[in-house]
Amino acid sequence: MLKLTRALFCAATLMTASLAQAADPIIIKFAHVVAENTPKGQGALLFKKLAEERLPGRVKVEVYPNSSLFGDGKEMEALLLGDVQMLAPSLAKFEQYTRQVQIYDLPFLFNDLAAVDRFQAAQGKALLTSMQDKGILGLAYWHNGLKQLSANKPLRVPADARGQKFRVQASSVLEEQFKAIRANPRKMSFAEVYQGLQTGTVNGTENTWSNYESQKVNEVQKYFTESNHGLIDYMVITNSKFWGGLPADVRSELEKIMGEVTAEVNRQAEELNQGARQKIVDAKTSEIITLSAEERGQWREAMKPVWKKFEGEIGADLIEAADKSNRP
């Protein structure tokens, strides 16, 4: 009887171990709205590669680019419902969850990406965890790059933009940015931009070189103004309940991987943007306007009142810290 009990116990143990080994991997659906040959697209693929290499059989990452799973308007809701586990939305998407993140949309606040890095390594860290009470946890900031203007007329000084219709993301700051130069902002999802420009629903937009080139915006815009007036960064986010429910060792490894991927994405961002810019030049479908220091100064002065307008929501101390990050 004792031998039979031991045999049954061993069999049960082996069956439990077998079932554990055969358990389905943790599925992480990582959705985004841009092409794979962009900083975000490359980052998502690298995260998938490293996660599946280092956690074989335990984690499977499914990447959905180009709004193929959820578009701009639905992805945040999908994350909160658990229909997707990771996103990397533009920072402009978070104003309804925390007003302070609006700081990244202020025009002409950061001189370059080095200033952005300095700010995010200090004050920016707290913003990653500022939405946990709403079910959203920030894991990292990924650079896309600095924004340029596009239009079907040359934009050299702010007066050139007067009356033009510019596509913007759903951001109050970006709306006010264009109103400050007497232009007309129009909210539009990223996937609709090409058609909107093609049909004249909007006359121009703002974006990075890599997003312009990957979406072939140069086919429907005659001019680009190299303004470097704002930032497109992404916050890689997850559902905080999902992340907290992961096995501790899996979560720790994924956090380590995210750190490595972030360093690589941010290293490559400017290289990808400059390569995309050159492709636009080579296509010879549009002209790139380079602003003089005086002309850029005019744009900055025209848009800078937006800082004051949002000071109460963002915090004067946070804006001051971001401005100081321009000085190493």
Side-chain angles (χ1 to χ4, degrees), residues 76 80 93-99 130-131 134 136:
M76 295 296 285
L80 294 172
K93 301 285 182 63
F94 294 105
E95 69 176 30
Q96 64 177 302
Y97 303 100
T98 173
R99 296 290 186 182
S130 63
M131 298 173 283
K134 297 178 175 68
I136 298 168

Side-chain angles (χ1 to χ4, degrees), residues 69-210:
L69 189 61
F70 297 104
D72 268 348
K74 297 289 185 181
E75 61 177 10
M76 295 296 285
E77 180 184 359
L79 182 87
L80 294 172
L81 290 173
D83 294 332
V84 63
Q85 287 71 47
M86 290 182 72
L87 302 172
S90 168
L91 294 171
K93 301 285 182 63
F94 294 105
E95 69 176 30
Q96 64 177 302
Y97 303 100
T98 173
R99 296 290 186 182
Q100 286 189 308
V101 175
Q102 293 179 120
I103 191 166
Y104 293 112
D105 284 338
L106 293 178
F108 293 98
L109 179 58
F110 297 104
N111 289 345
D112 50 36
L113 289 177
V116 176
D117 285 334
R118 286 189 287 270
F119 177 76
Q120 290 178 344
Q123 292 84 358
K125 282 186 175 179
L127 297 179
L128 291 173
T129 57
S130 63
M131 298 173 283
Q132 280 187 275
D133 61 332
K134 297 178 175 68
I136 298 168
L137 174 64
L139 301 174
Y141 293 107
W142 285 2
H143 292 335
N144 184 316
L146 297 177
K147 291 187 288 189
Q148 323 302 333
L149 293 166
S150 78
N152 278 325
K153 62 175 289 189
L155 302 178
R156 290 188 172 86
V157 294
D160 294 332
R162 188 173 299 174
Q164 295 289 293
K165 295 175 290 185
F166 285 90
R167 176 264 175 174
V168 295
Q169 298 179 73
S171 161
S172 300
V173 175
L174 299 182
E175 286 188 81
E176 291 301 322
Q177 165 188 285
F178 283 108
K179 288 178 181 177
I181 55 174
R182 299 187 184 183
N184 301 313
R186 300 286 174 89
K187 293 179 182 178
M188 183 180 289
S189 72
F190 184 73
E192 298 173 317
V193 173
Y194 184 94
Q195 186 177 5
L197 292 166
Q198 188 177 43
T199 59
T201 304
V202 286
N203 310 123
T205 185
E206 57 171 6
N207 224 310
T208 61
W209 293 120
S210 64

Side-chain angles (χ1 to χ4, degrees), residues 25-28 58-59 85 132 135 137 139 238-252 254-255:
I26 297 163
I27 303 294
I28 299 177
R58 300 190 69 190
V59 170
Q85 287 71 47
Q132 280 187 275
L137 174 64
L139 301 174
T238 186
N239 181 302
S240 54
K241 185 177 179 181
F242 165 78
W243 200 254
L246 291 173
D249 62 327
V250 171
R251 185 170 59 250
S252 176
L254 290 176
E255 287 171 349

